[in-house]
Amino acid sequence: MKLVTSSAFRTWTFLVVASLAVAAATLFHPLEAARAGAVLEQRKAPMKFSWVECQPNCRGWVSAVGIITSDTPKDFENFARSRQLGGATVVLDSSGGSVNDAITLGRRFRGLGMMTTVGTSVVRHTPQGDRATIRPDAFCESMCVYLLLSGTKRYVPPAAHVRVHQIWMGDRADDAEAASYTAQDMTIVERDIGRLAKYTFDMGGAGDLLSLSLSVPPWEDLHELSPAELRLTNVVTTDQVADVLPRSDSSGAVAVLDSKPVQDRFVSARAEIEMSAKPTKTAEATAAIAPVSAGK
């Protein structure tokens, strides 16, 4: 009797495990897992810019993926040199980076009258030609949120993740609570908070964005802005994706959400005062890279 029971149990266990394996293979298709892994690796690398064509339906957009470093503003200038980017849209997928370099890049975006949104660009090759789309399940974290703020129009899709936390010394962000700091370190952080505050108001953002960001220490999980907080902080100015990705054939909006557009409390950006010497250190706001679900 024991032998029969044990055998039946083993058979039942095998069937359950086999069923779970089949389900897992269905949910996490190898192609989806590979795509998710590739996106994750791009977000961990320094920011790269690329122009995505979407003719004949729209003008195209700039894809900006990765961490903002000291080279990022220069890289963007090299990218923009041979292109007409005035009024173009930047699609962001980034976990943040250098405070001062993000501010420099954001002011450049605003100077070009660029619009911003969050997403990852996907180009599919079809018999009819290449087809470009934007996947909304992307991340804009830490200083990326302030890049998002630089757009003259700003749209965040419901599936995107916009998350904030404090700026900190970049070389001690991994174990910020246990690290030691000098008075000079604190001076750098305080200085960069002041610059970030000025930039926020210049871009038309609300003080609530700074309040939410500065209330989350780097050793805690990032705070994801809710739809209500995105409006409160003025990070978004519209709920219509067509406002930042207009169609060139005048056939109407790409997509329209149910809620009403948000009024943009725009404040004209003033030229930033040039410093006599470039600082050698700056604070950073870079999020830990969030895993991308292969099942999405």
Side-chain angles (χ1 to χ4, degrees), residues 33-47:
R35 189 200 69 80
V39 171
L40 181 60
E41 286 304 313
Q42 289 175 348
R43 293 184 64 242
K44 291 165 61 178
M47 182 168 281

Side-chain angles (χ1 to χ4, degrees), residues 93-295:
D93 184 26
S94 170
S95 54
S98 165
V99 173
N100 286 329
D101 295 296
I103 289 174
T104 298
L105 185 60
R107 290 196 182 278
R108 182 71 170 117
F109 286 176
R110 178 58 66 88
L112 288 169
M114 304 184 85
M115 299 176 284
T116 53
T117 187
V118 181
T120 56
S121 300
V122 178
V123 179
R124 293 183 174 87
H125 305 290
T126 71
Q128 293 75 33
D130 292 348
R131 294 290 182 266
T133 58
I134 296 174
R135 293 178 62 99
D137 52 337
F139 293 81
C140 185
E141 302 170 319
S142 301
M143 284 308 298
C144 174
V145 180
Y146 293 89
L147 272 188
L148 177 64
L149 191 64
S150 70
T152 56
K153 294 179 181 177
R154 307 181 285 275
Y155 169 75
V156 174
H161 306 277
V162 178
R163 311 197 302 177
V164 296
H165 68 169
Q166 289 178 0
I167 67 174
W168 211 256
M169 303 303 297
D171 57 354
R172 273 153 286 182
D174 290 339
D175 195 5
E177 193 171 14
S180 59
Y181 305 91
T182 66
Q184 180 64 25
D185 293 333
M186 293 300 96
T187 298
I188 292 170
V189 173
E190 293 289 341
R191 178 203 66 192
D192 288 353
I193 288 174
R195 290 177 178 169
L196 190 59
K198 181 181 185 300
Y199 169 88
T200 298
F201 295 123
D202 284 351
M203 295 297 107
D208 300 276
L209 178 59
L210 289 166
S211 178
L212 287 167
S213 299
L214 298 177
S215 66
V216 183
W219 52 84
E220 293 184 3
D221 292 338
L222 280 76
H223 173 73
E224 183 159 338
L225 298 179
S226 67
E229 288 171 334
L230 288 170
R231 292 165 176 77
L232 174 69
T233 57
N234 210 30
V235 168
V236 297
T237 65
T238 181
D239 285 333
Q240 297 185 5
V241 64
D243 285 347
V244 296
L245 291 168
R247 297 176 69 97
S248 60
D249 57 8
S250 302
S251 63
V254 176
V256 180
L257 303 183
D258 292 333
S259 52
K260 296 180 180 179
V262 179
Q263 180 64 36
D264 183 8
R265 298 190 296 275
F266 177 83
V267 178
S268 298
R270 296 180 295 272
E272 188 172 18
I273 299 174
E274 294 291 337
M275 298 182 64
S276 57
K278 185 176 180 180
T280 57
K281 297 184 69 175
T282 179
E284 292 187 8
T286 306
I289 301 297
V292 180
S293 172

